[in-house]
Amino acid sequence: MNLTDTGRGHLDRAVELAADAVAAGDEPFGSVLVSADGERLFEDHNHVSGGDQTQHPELAIARWAVEHLAPAERAAATVYTSGEHCAMCSAAHAWVGLGRIVFATSTSQLSAWRAAMGAPASPIAPLGIAEVAPSVPTDGPFEEYAERVRALHEARAARG
Ligand SMILES: [Zn+2]
């Protein structure tokens, strides 16, 4: 799909949050939850630096959505995210009945970048959303974000 200006605004924000995460010592991932009428409801970035490796923004969004949105509102909402959901977050997204996911960069791009940087492999299989939650509609990746997000991962890796 072509990214609309609105969609680009939300993805830009997700990538901005990923940059904030790196600045805070976390991994470069950011995500935004947007309602059916385009309102940004909740946003977060990765918070794994405290030692809890499950502190992903997409999981935080799933939990927030269960607390604050009715099932129909969840289904009509869209999650914009700097990097495609991991298997854990894809599963959480599907379990709570959230709608579309728009991702700036893909899991396969991330795997290739991490391999090129000599970063340790992820402890979970690098499955795309479509493999874990095939009923969730998705759009992405968008090439215009690849270099910016790759650079965030490089900055994070360089810090050690
Ligand atoms: Zn995740």
Side-chain angles (χ1 to χ4, degrees):
M1 92 170 196
N2 286 322
L3 199 52
T4 63
D5 287 346
T6 310
R8 186 171 288 109
H10 295 314
L11 270 189
D12 285 348
R13 178 63 188 147
V15 173
E16 214 171 276
L17 288 161
D20 291 349
V22 175
D26 295 307
E27 300 283 341
F29 298 96
S31 311
V32 182
L33 176 65
V34 178
S35 72
D37 53 11
E39 187 191 347
R40 266 180 221 164
L41 299 171
F42 181 80
E43 61 181 31
D44 200 7
H45 66 64
N46 175 287
H47 291 283
V48 300
S49 64
D52 179 355
Q53 296 298 324
T54 70
Q55 294 288 336
H56 297 186
E58 306 93 327
L59 187 57
I61 282 176
R63 290 184 167 139
W64 187 93
V66 167
E67 289 284 316
H68 296 90
L69 302 179
E73 294 173 312
R74 299 202 289 269
T78 301
V79 173
Y80 291 84
T81 189
S82 65
E84 184 175 6
H85 287 42
C86 75
M88 172 183 75
C89 296
S90 294
H93 183 101
W95 278 122
V96 304
L98 280 163
R100 179 174 297 278
I101 296 173
V102 182
F103 54 92
T105 62
S106 71
T107 296
S108 62
Q109 285 176 309
L110 176 62
S111 297
W113 295 334
R114 289 179 59 87
M117 288 168 208
S122 161
I124 63 169
L127 302 174
I129 296 163
E131 294 169 271
V132 178
S135 62
V136 174
T138 60
D139 290 301
F142 298 95
E143 193 50 40
E144 66 196 86
Y145 290 98
E147 186 45 40
R148 194 167 157 207
V149 174
R150 192 199 59 75
L152 290 176
H153 284 283
E154 198 156 78
R156 178 66 190 90
R159 183 178 301 177

mmCIF file of all heavy atoms in Angstrom, residues 10-20 30-31 81-82 104 145 148-149 152:
data_model
loop_
_atom_site.group_PDB
_atom_site.id
_atom_site.type_symbol
_atom_site.label_atom_id
_atom_site.label_comp_id
_atom_site.label_asym_id
_atom_site.label_seq_id
_atom_site.Cartn_x
_atom_site.Cartn_y
_atom_site.Cartn_z
ATOM 1 N N HIS A 10 1.993 8.953 11.879
ATOM 2 C CA HIS A 10 1.997 8.004 13.007
ATOM 3 C C HIS A 10 3.261 7.144 12.994
ATOM 4 O O HIS A 10 3.836 6.854 14.052
ATOM 5 C CB HIS A 10 0.765 7.108 12.951
ATOM 6 C CG HIS A 10 -0.533 7.849 13.135
ATOM 7 N ND1 HIS A 10 -0.712 8.794 14.123
ATOM 8 C CD2 HIS A 10 -1.712 7.781 12.450
ATOM 9 C CE1 HIS A 10 -1.957 9.279 14.040
ATOM 10 N NE2 HIS A 10 -2.576 8.682 13.038
ATOM 11 N N LEU A 11 3.699 6.731 11.818
ATOM 12 C CA LEU A 11 4.939 5.924 11.749
ATOM 13 C C LEU A 11 6.147 6.764 12.128
ATOM 14 O O LEU A 11 7.057 6.280 12.807
ATOM 15 C CB LEU A 11 5.140 5.354 10.336
ATOM 16 C CG LEU A 11 4.538 3.983 10.036
ATOM 17 C CD1 LEU A 11 5.034 3.494 8.684
ATOM 18 C CD2 LEU A 11 4.855 2.958 11.121
ATOM 19 N N ASP A 12 6.149 8.038 11.708
ATOM 20 C CA ASP A 12 7.239 8.939 12.111
ATOM 21 C C ASP A 12 7.308 9.015 13.635
ATOM 22 O O ASP A 12 8.394 8.996 14.220
ATOM 23 C CB ASP A 12 7.016 10.354 11.559
ATOM 24 C CG ASP A 12 7.313 10.468 10.076
ATOM 25 O OD1 ASP A 12 7.910 9.534 9.507
ATOM 26 O OD2 ASP A 12 6.933 11.496 9.484
ATOM 27 N N ARG A 13 6.144 9.108 14.258
ATOM 28 C CA ARG A 13 6.108 9.183 15.717
ATOM 29 C C ARG A 13 6.653 7.890 16.336
ATOM 30 O O ARG A 13 7.400 7.933 17.320
ATOM 31 C CB ARG A 13 4.666 9.448 16.189
ATOM 32 C CG ARG A 13 4.511 9.495 17.692
ATOM 33 C CD ARG A 13 5.304 10.644 18.313
ATOM 34 N NE ARG A 13 5.300 10.568 19.772
ATOM 35 C CZ ARG A 13 6.318 10.959 20.537
ATOM 36 N NH1 ARG A 13 7.409 11.481 19.996
ATOM 37 N NH2 ARG A 13 6.235 10.855 21.835
ATOM 38 N N ALA A 14 6.299 6.743 15.757
ATOM 39 C CA ALA A 14 6.788 5.461 16.282
ATOM 40 C C ALA A 14 8.327 5.407 16.193
ATOM 41 O O ALA A 14 8.996 4.943 17.134
ATOM 42 C CB ALA A 14 6.160 4.305 15.512
ATOM 43 N N VAL A 15 8.868 5.887 15.092
ATOM 44 C CA VAL A 15 10.328 5.862 14.922
ATOM 45 C C VAL A 15 10.985 6.866 15.875
ATOM 46 O O VAL A 15 12.059 6.606 16.431
ATOM 47 C CB VAL A 15 10.712 6.124 13.447
ATOM 48 C CG1 VAL A 15 12.219 6.274 13.285
ATOM 49 C CG2 VAL A 15 10.188 4.983 12.565
ATOM 50 N N GLU A 16 10.317 8.003 16.094
ATOM 51 C CA GLU A 16 10.809 8.983 17.071
ATOM 52 C C GLU A 16 10.891 8.344 18.471
ATOM 53 O O GLU A 16 11.858 8.539 19.209
ATOM 54 C CB GLU A 16 9.779 10.119 17.109
ATOM 55 C CG GLU A 16 10.277 11.497 17.345
ATOM 56 C CD GLU A 16 9.108 12.472 17.127
ATOM 57 O OE1 GLU A 16 8.858 12.842 15.964
ATOM 58 O OE2 GLU A 16 8.441 12.819 18.122
ATOM 59 N N LEU A 17 9.865 7.570 18.815
ATOM 60 C CA LEU A 17 9.864 6.870 20.104
ATOM 61 C C LEU A 17 10.993 5.844 20.168
ATOM 62 O O LEU A 17 11.601 5.636 21.231
ATOM 63 C CB LEU A 17 8.515 6.183 20.331
ATOM 64 C CG LEU A 17 7.341 7.122 20.629
ATOM 65 C CD1 LEU A 17 6.009 6.420 20.366
ATOM 66 C CD2 LEU A 17 7.408 7.608 22.074
ATOM 67 N N ALA A 18 11.285 5.203 19.043
ATOM 68 C CA ALA A 18 12.395 4.247 19.003
ATOM 69 C C ALA A 18 13.716 4.971 19.275
ATOM 70 O O ALA A 18 14.595 4.445 19.962
ATOM 71 C CB ALA A 18 12.425 3.533 17.648
ATOM 72 N N ALA A 19 13.848 6.179 18.747
ATOM 73 C CA ALA A 19 15.054 6.971 19.015
ATOM 74 C C ALA A 19 15.112 7.364 20.487
ATOM 75 O O ALA A 19 16.185 7.329 21.109
ATOM 76 C CB ALA A 19 15.081 8.203 18.115
ATOM 77 N N ASP A 20 13.964 7.720 21.064
ATOM 78 C CA ASP A 20 13.912 8.035 22.503
ATOM 79 C C ASP A 20 14.360 6.821 23.320
ATOM 80 O O ASP A 20 15.031 6.962 24.350
ATOM 81 C CB ASP A 20 12.477 8.387 22.936
ATOM 82 C CG ASP A 20 11.996 9.709 22.364
ATOM 83 O OD1 ASP A 20 12.824 10.451 21.812
ATOM 84 O OD2 ASP A 20 10.781 9.977 22.462
ATOM 85 N N GLY A 30 9.520 1.601 18.978
ATOM 86 C CA GLY A 30 8.454 2.471 19.458
ATOM 87 C C GLY A 30 7.164 2.156 18.729
ATOM 88 O O GLY A 30 7.192 1.725 17.567
ATOM 89 N N SER A 31 6.041 2.351 19.421
ATOM 90 C CA SER A 31 4.742 1.999 18.847
ATOM 91 C C SER A 31 3.669 2.974 19.308
ATOM 92 O O SER A 31 3.754 3.516 20.415
ATOM 93 C CB SER A 31 4.328 0.586 19.264
ATOM 94 O OG SER A 31 5.367 -0.342 19.070
ATOM 95 N N THR A 81 4.064 0.933 14.225
ATOM 96 C CA THR A 81 5.229 0.520 15.000
ATOM 97 C C THR A 81 6.500 0.625 14.165
ATOM 98 O O THR A 81 6.474 0.438 12.944
ATOM 99 C CB THR A 81 4.996 -0.910 15.546
ATOM 100 O OG1 THR A 81 6.018 -1.228 16.469
ATOM 101 C CG2 THR A 81 4.947 -1.945 14.440
ATOM 102 N N SER A 82 7.605 0.948 14.853
ATOM 103 C CA SER A 82 8.858 1.164 14.127
ATOM 104 C C SER A 82 9.413 -0.139 13.555
ATOM 105 O O SER A 82 10.081 -0.136 12.527
ATOM 106 C CB SER A 82 9.890 1.810 15.050
ATOM 107 O OG SER A 82 10.230 0.926 16.106
ATOM 108 N N ALA A 104 7.057 -0.001 10.124
ATOM 109 C CA ALA A 104 8.020 0.713 9.274
ATOM 110 C C ALA A 104 9.055 -0.242 8.702
ATOM 111 O O ALA A 104 9.436 -0.131 7.531
ATOM 112 C CB ALA A 104 8.697 1.818 10.077
ATOM 113 N N TYR A 145 11.856 4.081 5.599
ATOM 114 C CA TYR A 145 12.273 4.053 7.002
ATOM 115 C C TYR A 145 13.499 3.178 7.263
ATOM 116 O O TYR A 145 14.069 3.226 8.356
ATOM 117 C CB TYR A 145 11.124 3.556 7.889
ATOM 118 C CG TYR A 145 9.997 4.555 7.992
ATOM 119 C CD1 TYR A 145 8.867 4.428 7.201
ATOM 120 C CD2 TYR A 145 10.086 5.630 8.868
ATOM 121 C CE1 TYR A 145 7.833 5.359 7.278
ATOM 122 C CE2 TYR A 145 9.067 6.565 8.951
ATOM 123 C CZ TYR A 145 7.942 6.421 8.150
ATOM 124 O OH TYR A 145 6.941 7.342 8.227
ATOM 125 N N ARG A 148 16.936 4.809 8.471
ATOM 126 C CA ARG A 148 16.838 5.487 9.766
ATOM 127 C C ARG A 148 16.739 4.462 10.905
ATOM 128 O O ARG A 148 17.398 4.607 11.946
ATOM 129 C CB ARG A 148 15.591 6.378 9.743
ATOM 130 C CG ARG A 148 15.534 7.362 10.855
ATOM 131 C CD ARG A 148 14.461 8.398 10.581
ATOM 132 N NE ARG A 148 14.039 8.985 11.841
ATOM 133 C CZ ARG A 148 12.838 9.501 12.056
ATOM 134 N NH1 ARG A 148 11.945 9.506 11.109
ATOM 135 N NH2 ARG A 148 12.548 10.015 13.225
ATOM 136 N N VAL A 149 15.937 3.430 10.715
ATOM 137 C CA VAL A 149 15.764 2.441 11.778
ATOM 138 C C VAL A 149 17.022 1.586 11.917
ATOM 139 O O VAL A 149 17.455 1.268 13.025
ATOM 140 C CB VAL A 149 14.495 1.591 11.535
ATOM 141 C CG1 VAL A 149 14.390 0.462 12.550
ATOM 142 C CG2 VAL A 149 13.247 2.474 11.589
ATOM 143 N N LEU A 152 19.457 3.343 14.013
ATOM 144 C CA LEU A 152 19.135 3.282 15.449
ATOM 145 C C LEU A 152 19.636 1.973 16.051
ATOM 146 O O LEU A 152 20.184 1.957 17.158
ATOM 147 C CB LEU A 152 17.623 3.415 15.674
ATOM 148 C CG LEU A 152 17.007 4.783 15.403
ATOM 149 C CD1 LEU A 152 15.492 4.719 15.565
ATOM 150 C CD2 LEU A 152 17.595 5.838 16.337
#
